[in-house]
Amino acid sequence: CAMLRVMQTQDLTPELREGHAKLARAVSIAASYHRQQVRKGTTIPYVSHLLQVAGLVLEYGGDLEQAAAGVLHDALEDTDADPGDIAAACGGRVSAIVIECTDTSDDGGGDPTAKAPWAERKARHLRQLEGVSMSAALVVACDKLHNIRTQVADLHHGGKTVEFNAPYEARKAVQVEAIAALRGKITERLYADLCDAHEEWEQLHELAAEDDT
């Protein structure tokens, strides 16, 4: 006969209930903010990335507010979202984490169509990581992990990945520095998974470059 799996549950405390409510609101407003956007080089709705980052946040031990910030981590950078609106919907901690995840301006706001040059933004991002909170570091790390894994999958199955705003060597250097900056602010498991993903990403890029020569 078929075996029945008993679903594990936890007590639905007021804190847990409110955490789920914040996450639900975050998903709703993120879907609205990013409704016209797709993943670079694809027709995949951009919200796919946001939901997967939130899932990784929870898988690596984050709480529901951090997951809500994961869903909204690109809202200030890529839409006309306002930190005050995020705070009103999901609370001040969620808004503060999203601001820490934003590299387009010093205060987390600004015009998403008027970003600074890539090198300037990434230099600012690396400076921010030096003082990033542990709550935000988890979200940043999960964002990077999903992005790297997506590119690895592209390289495995298509032999190439999407074009970015900087050459491979510059992106590699920033990625290495960013992962190093996150060490000690994320779990050893997440740090190891980031390192493994980056190593595979680097190896596949080098193989692809050899094939082109």
Side-chain angles (χ1 to χ4, degrees):
C1 65
M3 295 180 63
L4 297 178
R5 177 179 294 176
V6 178
M7 180 64 70
Q8 289 184 308
T9 62
Q10 57 184 321
D11 291 338
L12 190 58
T13 63
E15 292 78 15
L16 185 60
R17 191 187 305 275
E18 178 58 21
H20 278 290
K22 287 181 180 180
L23 179 56
R25 290 193 291 270
V27 171
S28 178
I29 62 177
S32 177
Y33 287 146
H34 297 274
R35 62 187 178 276
Q36 292 183 287
Q37 297 174 357
V38 295
R39 289 284 277 167
K40 187 174 290 188
T42 76
T43 58
I44 300 169
Y46 195 76
V47 72
S48 167
H49 168 63
L50 306 176
L51 292 171
Q52 292 185 73
V53 170
L56 287 172
V57 167
L58 294 173
E59 290 290 332
Y60 284 99
D63 58 40
L64 291 162
E65 287 191 327
Q66 288 170 293
V71 172
L72 292 165
H73 76 272
D74 277 331
L76 301 181
E77 187 169 320
D78 293 334
T79 79
D80 60 359
D82 180 86
D85 293 336
I86 293 175
C90 301
R93 179 171 177 244
V94 173
S95 181
I97 293 173
V98 174
I99 290 172
E100 285 194 81
C101 294
T102 303
D103 67 12
T104 49
S105 67
D106 292 331
D107 64 0
D111 181 356
T113 66
K115 292 183 180 180
W118 183 91
E120 181 181 328
R121 287 190 291 112
K122 295 310 172 184
R124 181 190 298 128
H125 175 62
L126 291 174
R127 290 195 300 271
Q128 287 178 191
L129 288 183
E130 293 176 4
V132 72
S133 69
M134 294 184 71
S135 290
L138 174 60
V139 178
V140 171
C142 289
D143 175 32
K144 293 187 183 303
L145 182 59
H146 183 249
N147 279 329
I148 297 170
R149 284 176 171 174
T150 298
Q151 293 173 59
V152 165
D154 288 343
L155 290 164
H156 269 302
H157 299 291
K160 61 180 181 179
T161 188
V162 297
E163 296 297 323
F164 286 84
N165 300 323
Y168 163 70
E169 289 296 336
R171 290 187 288 121
K172 180 175 74 171
V174 168
Q175 199 157 280
V176 168
E177 287 191 56
I179 293 171
L182 289 167
R183 187 172 194 178
K185 296 187 176 184
I186 56 178
T187 64
E188 283 299 315
R189 175 191 165 206
L190 178 51
Y191 175 73
D193 287 349
L194 265 175
C195 291
D196 289 345
H198 171 82
E199 182 177 352
E200 186 174 11
W201 175 86
E202 191 173 327
Q203 290 172 346
L204 290 169
H205 266 288
E206 291 173 357
L207 286 172
E210 290 175 3
D211 291 340
D212 289 341
T213 59

